[in-house]
Amino acid sequence: QTVPATSQPGRVGDGYCGTNLQYDFDPSTGELVIFGTGDMYDYSSTYAPWESNYVKRVVVEEGVTSVSEGSLTTQLLEYIYLSSTVSDFSIFALDYFASIEVSPANPYYMSKDGVLFDKNGSVLICYPNENARTSYTVPASVKWIGPYAFFNADNLTQLTLSSNVLYIDEYAFKSCNGLLTFTVPASVLEIETGIFYNWESNQQVYFE
């Protein structure tokens, strides 16, 4: 991106990824740091400037307010950290990751066991599909499974929803091919399209 005309903080990175955002990439560790203030550029139809780098870890520092669609979709991430100022995290920002952590001071999001939730824990936003664990129980606080929440989480052979889940959003369990059996609890009132998209013929779904 072209350096904007607006004044910038004294810290200088490898380039810009927002009007007042910069980035630093350390090839020796694979760590990408986003810093500055404000929103990230939209990368839904263009490549992020770190596209050709092998990014392993991402740290989004204080002052950054968004992580945009397409910004990390070509990376296989071990870890991503969101600071307290991130208020807009696109579920289409990344495809493959093993863990996401959020600052406890963030008023919009929280994380537990590497999984991203809204702040009060009622919406499960996205599950780390590269996490090695084979079983996961959705916390009792969750009422809404978000869109694409478990996309490609094919390491899971057992996934348990609590009896408090009311709503399952679109494509929530897309390509979860490790689940041979799966039960939808009786509490669920509404299911959106494609939640079992790309499941195999040997996978069985039960409705209580």
Side-chain angles (χ1 to χ4, degrees):
Q1 299 283 349
T2 303
V3 176
T6 55
S7 61
Q8 299 296 325
R11 184 178 175 188
V12 178
D14 295 333
Y16 286 85
C17 55
T19 301
N20 292 296
L21 292 186
Q22 298 184 58
Y23 71 94
D24 270 326
F25 177 70
D26 185 345
S28 66
T29 62
E31 183 170 274
L32 174 71
V33 178
I34 309 297
F35 66 94
T37 56
D39 290 343
M40 185 184 290
Y41 291 134
D42 181 5
Y43 292 110
S44 59
S45 58
T46 187
Y47 292 123
W50 46 82
E51 171 80 18
S52 61
N53 296 315
Y54 179 36
V55 179
K56 294 181 180 180
R57 299 168 59 85
V58 178
V59 175
V60 182
E61 291 192 353
E62 297 292 325
V64 182
T65 52
S66 76
V67 179
S68 66
E69 180 175 350
S71 56
L72 297 162
T73 51
T74 62
Q75 308 295 339
L76 177 58
L77 302 178
E78 297 174 357
Y79 173 85
I80 179 170
Y81 171 81
L82 305 180
S83 69
S84 69
T85 54
V86 175
S87 59
D88 182 10
F89 177 83
S90 171
I91 60 168
F92 301 113
L94 69 176
D95 280 343
Y96 301 99
F97 69 108
S99 180
I100 188 166
E101 300 296 334
V102 181
S103 166
N106 188 298
Y108 307 99
Y109 301 107
M110 63 169 282
S111 62
K112 182 179 181 182
D113 299 325
V115 184
L116 182 65
F117 303 86
D118 72 328
K119 186 61 178 181
N120 64 14
S122 64
V123 181
L124 192 154
I125 298 171
C126 59
Y127 178 88
N129 53 18
E130 290 297 315
N131 192 289
R133 65 182 159 229
T134 57
S135 66
Y136 181 70
T137 298
V138 171
S141 62
V142 172
K143 297 181 179 180
W144 182 354
I145 306 296
Y148 294 86
F150 287 88
F151 170 63
N152 264 345
D154 51 12
N155 286 331
L156 288 177
T157 58
Q158 182 177 352
L159 174 60
T160 304
L161 304 187
S162 83
S163 59
N164 295 323
V165 173
L166 303 175
Y167 181 72
I168 302 177
D169 218 322
E170 62 180 1
Y171 299 99
F173 309 112
K174 179 181 177 181
S175 301
C176 289
N177 299 126
L179 299 174
L180 295 183
T181 61
F182 179 74
T183 299
V184 178
S187 59
V188 174
L189 301 177
E190 188 171 355
I191 293 173
E192 293 296 340
T193 187
I195 68 167
F196 302 120
Y197 185 84
N198 202 36
W199 279 40
E200 304 294 341
S201 59
N202 64 331
Q203 294 181 265
Q204 297 179 335
V205 178
Y206 299 95
F207 291 83
E208 285 185 341

